[in-house]
Amino acid sequence: MARRRQLYEGKAKILFEGPEPGTLVQYFKDDATAFNSQKKGTITGKGVLNNRISEYLMLRLGEIGVPTHFVRRLNMREQLIREVEIIPIEVVVRNVAAGSLSKRLGIPEGTRLPRSIIEYYYKNAALENPMVGEEHITAFGWAGTQDMDDMVALTLRINDFLTGLFLGVGITLVDFKVEFGRLYENDDMRIVLADELSPDNCRLWDSKTNEKMDKDRFRRDLGKVEEAYQEVARRLGILPEAGIRDLKGPELMQ
Ligand code: TMP
């Protein structure tokens, strides 16, 4: 395989120059961090599973008309994506109280929210991704009012669709985080779903037992982390044919 230029290394992924202009290769690592990188670890096979899970969810969303950056999976750990200008906002949707919402507002984890709640966090590691309001986002020019309208409309559709999709496989979609990017085509600009959708950035609970099947198992040292990611992939019907021992996948070539 030809050597590719690395453009960016994040906590869980690496971006490489793509094979043609306007494309990138997104490589999924097994590295896991939590609490703004204070906690670090490895979840063996996570990159392989998240590559598959994110591919699957973005393809399904594409089928209902949600535009995404996903083009195609290249191998066990890599996917081809469209190059977008990332909007520096993490959009979080919550259906059930958990995590920082429960902590901040004293609402017990597991409380069903009266309606889905959207929150915004400014993507800035030095500031530890502070929560912000729409006023800050538009005043500081991180996104315009039209961008915000598009992001909210897409986020609500994503939430409705994924809630149903996961419920169908016995999983409650408690909350999740998405990121959007601006895709420039000719003279047009569209907001598209970017980054990834996986148990790294969703809270997924077994609908019967409320057992956690996501990165909270790592954040909270609950054990059986790898098994939880595998179980999500298995229920979605996309566990790689290769056995668990093969999940490490090919090594990164640089
Ligand atoms: P929170 O309860 O910690 O605010 O997290 C809400 C959701 O957002 C949860 O599904 C995990 C996800 N998330 C990320 O993907 N990245 C982050 O940096 C944080 C803090 C949360």
Side-chain angles (χ1 to χ4, degrees):
M1 205 187 300
R3 285 165 77 93
R4 287 186 307 251
R5 196 156 68 90
Q6 182 174 318
L7 301 176
Y8 173 80
E9 175 155 11
K11 291 181 242 181
K13 298 186 291 296
I14 305 175
L15 293 177
F16 295 95
E17 213 166 48
E20 55 208 76
T23 65
L24 300 175
V25 173
Q26 180 163 254
Y27 175 95
F28 288 76
K29 301 191 279 186
D30 283 349
D31 298 354
T33 64
F35 315 117
N36 294 300
S37 300
Q38 287 174 54
K39 183 182 171 88
K40 288 194 169 81
T42 304
I43 302 173
T44 306
K46 171 172 85 80
V48 175
L49 292 167
N50 283 358
N51 187 21
R52 291 262 177 165
I53 294 170
S54 197
E55 169 195 21
Y56 178 77
L57 297 177
M58 290 216 184
L59 284 176
R60 295 288 83 78
L61 285 165
E63 286 166 5
I64 62 151
V66 172
T68 79
H69 72 164
F70 182 82
V71 180
R72 66 175 179 275
R73 187 162 56 82
L74 297 171
N75 56 49
M76 297 271 273
R77 285 181 185 270
E78 293 178 325
Q79 49 182 241
L80 187 69
I81 57 170
R82 307 288 299 272
E83 183 172 23
V84 299
E85 182 183 276
I86 290 286
I87 294 171
I89 301 297
E90 297 194 342
V91 181
V92 169
V93 192
R94 302 178 186 274
N95 300 309
V96 175
S100 69
L101 177 124
S102 291
K103 206 168 166 191
R104 200 172 49 245
L105 303 180
I107 297 169
E109 283 214 327
T111 309
R112 165 114 346 231
L113 298 172
R115 62 180 176 82
S116 301
I117 291 175
I118 298 189
E119 298 170 348
Y120 309 107
Y121 295 84
Y122 176 41
K123 264 171 74 77
N124 183 315
L127 299 175
E128 301 188 348
N129 295 357
M131 188 170 170
V132 292
E134 188 162 350
E135 286 279 293
H136 305 93
I137 297 172
T138 52
F140 297 120
W142 299 322
T145 48
Q146 184 61 53
D147 297 335
M148 291 300 291
D149 287 352
D150 292 352
M151 287 197 289
V152 169
L154 288 172
T155 299
L156 293 174
R157 288 184 66 201
I158 294 166
N159 186 42
D160 283 347
F161 182 75
L162 292 185
T163 294
L165 186 148
F166 278 116
L167 204 57
V169 296
I171 293 174
T172 304
L173 179 61
V174 170
D175 58 32
F176 63 97
K177 183 267 293 183
V178 278
E179 295 183 25
F180 294 93
R182 298 189 185 91
L183 177 64
Y184 294 93
E185 278 172 320
N186 307 319
D187 285 340
D188 274 355
M189 187 281 284
R190 294 192 287 158
I191 303 283
V192 305
L193 178 63
D195 190 53
E196 70 174 286
L197 268 176
S198 73
D200 267 15
N201 33 55
C202 301
R203 280 198 176 89
L204 305 169
W205 294 358
D206 181 276
S207 341
K208 285 212 184 79
T209 64
N210 279 347
E211 195 184 348
K212 298 184 196 332
M213 304 171 66
D214 56 64
K215 198 171 141 188
D216 269 350
R217 300 204 72 86
F218 166 78
R219 294 189 189 97
R220 304 179 187 191
D221 296 320
L222 298 176
K224 298 209 161 131
V225 187
E226 285 85 357
E227 288 85 344
Y229 280 67
Q230 274 164 31
E231 178 62 12
V232 171
R234 193 191 67 75
R235 290 201 195 178
L236 292 173
I238 52 171
L239 194 64
E241 308 74 38
I244 287 159
R245 273 183 293 111
D246 297 325
L247 281 179
K248 203 160 176 297
E251 292 302 320
L252 173 61
M253 291 179 68
Q254 285 190 57

Short mmCIF file of all heavy atoms in Angstrom, two decimals, residues 90 92 94 98-101 121 129 175-177 200-203 219, ligand 1:
data_model
loop_
_atom_site.label_atom_id
_atom_site.label_comp_id
_atom_site.label_asym_id
_atom_site.label_seq_id
_atom_site.Cartn_x
_atom_site.Cartn_y
_atom_site.Cartn_z
N GLU A 90 -19.84 20.11 19.31
CA GLU A 90 -20.34 18.76 19.54
C GLU A 90 -21.81 18.90 19.89
O GLU A 90 -22.16 19.63 20.83
CB GLU A 90 -19.58 18.11 20.70
CG GLU A 90 -18.10 17.94 20.39
CD GLU A 90 -17.38 17.00 21.34
OE1 GLU A 90 -17.90 16.73 22.44
OE2 GLU A 90 -16.28 16.55 20.96
N VAL A 92 -25.01 17.21 21.31
CA VAL A 92 -25.42 16.06 22.14
C VAL A 92 -26.94 16.03 22.21
O VAL A 92 -27.57 17.06 22.42
CB VAL A 92 -24.80 16.15 23.56
CG1 VAL A 92 -25.43 15.13 24.50
CG2 VAL A 92 -23.29 15.96 23.50
N ARG A 94 -30.17 14.00 24.10
CA ARG A 94 -30.47 13.12 25.24
C ARG A 94 -31.94 12.74 25.24
O ARG A 94 -32.80 13.62 25.11
CB ARG A 94 -30.15 13.84 26.55
CG ARG A 94 -28.71 14.29 26.67
CD ARG A 94 -28.49 15.03 27.97
NE ARG A 94 -27.15 15.59 28.04
CZ ARG A 94 -26.07 14.91 28.47
NH1 ARG A 94 -26.19 13.66 28.87
NH2 ARG A 94 -24.89 15.50 28.50
N ALA A 98 -28.60 10.84 31.93
CA ALA A 98 -27.39 10.06 32.24
C ALA A 98 -26.21 11.02 32.23
O ALA A 98 -26.34 12.19 31.83
CB ALA A 98 -27.17 8.94 31.22
N GLY A 99 -25.06 10.51 32.67
CA GLY A 99 -23.80 11.23 32.53
C GLY A 99 -23.83 12.64 33.10
O GLY A 99 -24.31 12.88 34.21
N SER A 100 -23.30 13.58 32.29
CA SER A 100 -23.11 14.95 32.81
C SER A 100 -24.44 15.64 33.11
O SER A 100 -24.50 16.51 33.98
CB SER A 100 -22.26 15.78 31.86
OG SER A 100 -22.95 16.05 30.66
N LEU A 101 -25.51 15.28 32.41
CA LEU A 101 -26.79 15.92 32.69
C LEU A 101 -27.28 15.52 34.10
O LEU A 101 -27.71 16.36 34.89
CB LEU A 101 -27.86 15.55 31.65
CG LEU A 101 -29.23 16.13 31.95
CD1 LEU A 101 -29.76 16.95 30.79
CD2 LEU A 101 -30.23 15.04 32.30
N TYR A 121 -21.59 21.70 22.78
CA TYR A 121 -20.30 21.86 23.45
C TYR A 121 -19.30 22.39 22.43
O TYR A 121 -19.27 21.91 21.29
CB TYR A 121 -19.80 20.51 24.01
CG TYR A 121 -20.71 19.99 25.10
CD1 TYR A 121 -21.88 19.27 24.80
CD2 TYR A 121 -20.43 20.24 26.45
CE1 TYR A 121 -22.73 18.81 25.80
CE2 TYR A 121 -21.27 19.78 27.45
CZ TYR A 121 -22.42 19.07 27.12
OH TYR A 121 -23.26 18.62 28.12
N ASN A 129 -13.75 21.40 26.29
CA ASN A 129 -15.04 21.33 25.60
C ASN A 129 -16.20 21.88 26.42
O ASN A 129 -17.10 21.13 26.81
CB ASN A 129 -15.35 19.88 25.20
CG ASN A 129 -14.38 19.35 24.17
OD1 ASN A 129 -13.49 20.06 23.69
ND2 ASN A 129 -14.54 18.09 23.82
N ASP A 175 -28.42 8.54 24.85
CA ASP A 175 -27.93 9.83 24.35
C ASP A 175 -26.82 9.57 23.34
O ASP A 175 -26.34 8.45 23.20
CB ASP A 175 -27.47 10.76 25.49
CG ASP A 175 -26.36 10.16 26.34
OD1 ASP A 175 -25.53 9.39 25.81
OD2 ASP A 175 -26.31 10.45 27.55
N PHE A 176 -26.42 10.60 22.63
CA PHE A 176 -25.27 10.46 21.72
C PHE A 176 -24.76 11.83 21.32
O PHE A 176 -25.44 12.85 21.53
CB PHE A 176 -25.63 9.64 20.46
CG PHE A 176 -26.68 10.25 19.58
CD1 PHE A 176 -26.35 11.00 18.47
CD2 PHE A 176 -28.03 10.05 19.85
CE1 PHE A 176 -27.33 11.56 17.65
CE2 PHE A 176 -29.01 10.60 19.03
CZ PHE A 176 -28.66 11.35 17.93
N LYS A 177 -23.56 11.81 20.75
CA LYS A 177 -22.92 13.05 20.29
C LYS A 177 -22.65 12.95 18.80
O LYS A 177 -22.21 11.90 18.31
CB LYS A 177 -21.59 13.20 21.05
CG LYS A 177 -20.82 14.46 20.75
CD LYS A 177 -19.78 14.34 19.66
CE LYS A 177 -18.62 13.45 20.00
NZ LYS A 177 -17.60 13.44 18.91
N ASP A 200 -18.57 4.61 21.15
CA ASP A 200 -17.70 5.61 21.78
C ASP A 200 -18.46 6.90 22.06
O ASP A 200 -18.13 7.64 22.97
CB ASP A 200 -16.52 5.99 20.84
CG ASP A 200 -15.28 5.14 21.10
OD1 ASP A 200 -15.40 4.11 21.78
OD2 ASP A 200 -14.21 5.53 20.60
N ASN A 201 -19.43 7.21 21.20
CA ASN A 201 -20.13 8.49 21.38
C ASN A 201 -21.65 8.35 21.50
O ASN A 201 -22.38 9.32 21.29
CB ASN A 201 -19.73 9.50 20.30
CG ASN A 201 -19.44 8.85 18.98
OD1 ASN A 201 -20.28 8.14 18.47
ND2 ASN A 201 -18.24 9.07 18.46
N CYS A 202 -22.09 7.15 21.87
CA CYS A 202 -23.52 6.94 22.19
C CYS A 202 -23.61 6.28 23.56
O CYS A 202 -22.71 5.52 23.93
CB CYS A 202 -24.17 5.95 21.21
SG CYS A 202 -24.13 6.41 19.48
N ARG A 203 -24.69 6.50 24.26
CA ARG A 203 -25.00 5.64 25.41
C ARG A 203 -26.06 4.66 24.95
O ARG A 203 -27.14 5.08 24.48
CB ARG A 203 -25.49 6.44 26.63
CG ARG A 203 -24.36 7.08 27.40
CD ARG A 203 -24.75 7.49 28.82
NE ARG A 203 -23.56 7.99 29.49
CZ ARG A 203 -23.17 9.28 29.47
NH1 ARG A 203 -23.91 10.18 28.87
NH2 ARG A 203 -22.07 9.64 30.08
N ARG A 219 -15.23 4.15 30.83
CA ARG A 219 -15.14 5.34 31.69
C ARG A 219 -15.28 4.97 33.17
O ARG A 219 -14.61 5.52 34.02
CB ARG A 219 -16.26 6.35 31.35
CG ARG A 219 -16.17 6.97 29.97
CD ARG A 219 -17.19 8.11 29.82
NE ARG A 219 -17.29 8.60 28.45
CZ ARG A 219 -18.22 8.20 27.59
NH1 ARG A 219 -19.15 7.32 27.93
NH2 ARG A 219 -18.22 8.67 26.36
P1 TMP B 1 -22.02 13.41 28.79
O1 TMP B 1 -23.18 12.89 29.58
O2 TMP B 1 -20.70 13.03 29.37
O3 TMP B 1 -22.14 14.88 28.54
O4 TMP B 1 -22.07 12.69 27.35
C1 TMP B 1 -23.22 12.76 26.54
C2 TMP B 1 -23.01 11.88 25.30
O5 TMP B 1 -21.99 12.42 24.48
C3 TMP B 1 -22.59 10.46 25.61
O6 TMP B 1 -23.27 9.60 24.70
C4 TMP B 1 -21.12 10.42 25.32
C5 TMP B 1 -20.93 11.48 24.29
N1 TMP B 1 -19.66 12.20 24.43
C6 TMP B 1 -18.73 12.16 23.41
O7 TMP B 1 -18.94 11.50 22.40
N2 TMP B 1 -17.57 12.86 23.57
C7 TMP B 1 -17.29 13.60 24.66
O8 TMP B 1 -16.21 14.21 24.74
C8 TMP B 1 -18.27 13.63 25.71
C9 TMP B 1 -18.02 14.42 26.97
C10 TMP B 1 -19.44 12.92 25.55
#
